Amino acid sequence: MKLAAIPIFIVGLCVGCTSTGKVTSEQLKYTQWQLSRVDGLAVPPSFNASMSFIEALQVNGFAGCNKFFGEGSLEESNLTVSKLGMTRRSCGGELDEFEQQLLQALKQGAELKIQDQQLVMQGEQTFVFIPK
């Protein structure tokens, strides 16, 4: 019985050693991402949102209607963007609402993971970005 437990223990150790998908600021630095899906649904071409990370985890991008920028902080794979600024255009109902949801996720903070070469931002909603 004790011998059977050894392989299970070894497998458990190996699984624990695999990549957790957690994100570091070094992984994000100088990367550009295009929004692909929200809550599992493909993003319409008119909701052309993107996000970039530059030096000192500064974040900038396009939320579908307006450009945005801010100072990102990453703690245990949770990204929060402070001092969030943006242009002030209105593009109409659905697009404005979508844009506010994305920006709210950045302000409130969301967990980041890199899975299958995609950046997954999980807050109240799940935003999936692909490399740009």
Side-chain angles (χ1 to χ4, degrees):
M1 182 70 174
K2 288 182 182 179
L3 290 176
I6 292 173
I8 293 170
F9 178 71
I10 292 172
V11 168
L13 283 176
C14 291
V15 169
C17 295
T18 60
S19 173
T20 61
K22 290 193 175 191
V23 177
T24 66
S25 58
E26 285 302 310
Q27 288 174 296
L28 292 177
K29 196 182 291 185
Y30 307 119
T31 60
Q32 298 180 357
W33 303 91
Q34 181 72 41
L35 186 61
S36 172
R37 293 187 316 275
V38 177
D39 292 336
L41 300 174
V43 176
S46 61
F47 290 27
N48 186 25
S50 62
M51 183 167 49
S52 302
F53 297 90
I54 55 177
E55 193 67 40
L57 210 56
Q58 293 174 333
V59 181
N60 62 50
F62 183 70
C65 183
N66 290 283
K67 293 180 182 180
F68 67 90
F69 52 90
E71 295 179 12
S73 71
L74 192 62
E75 292 185 28
E76 296 185 20
S77 293
N78 286 303
L79 173 70
T80 304
V81 179
S82 61
K83 299 181 183 176
L84 191 62
M86 61 186 274
T87 56
R88 300 283 179 189
R89 285 182 50 198
S90 175
C91 293
E94 260 185 46
L95 188 52
D96 287 349
E97 183 179 329
F98 162 76
E99 183 174 76
Q100 288 306 310
Q101 292 169 351
L102 175 61
L103 296 173
Q104 191 65 29
L106 291 171
K107 282 189 234 178
Q108 287 180 342
E111 181 182 4
L112 294 183
K113 294 180 187 173
I114 294 181
Q115 298 175 329
D116 302 322
Q117 299 178 340
Q118 297 177 336
L119 181 67
V120 179
M121 187 171 78
Q122 176 70 53
E124 287 184 28
Q125 294 177 288
T126 302
F127 298 89
V128 178
F129 295 83
I130 57 174
K132 191 171 175 185

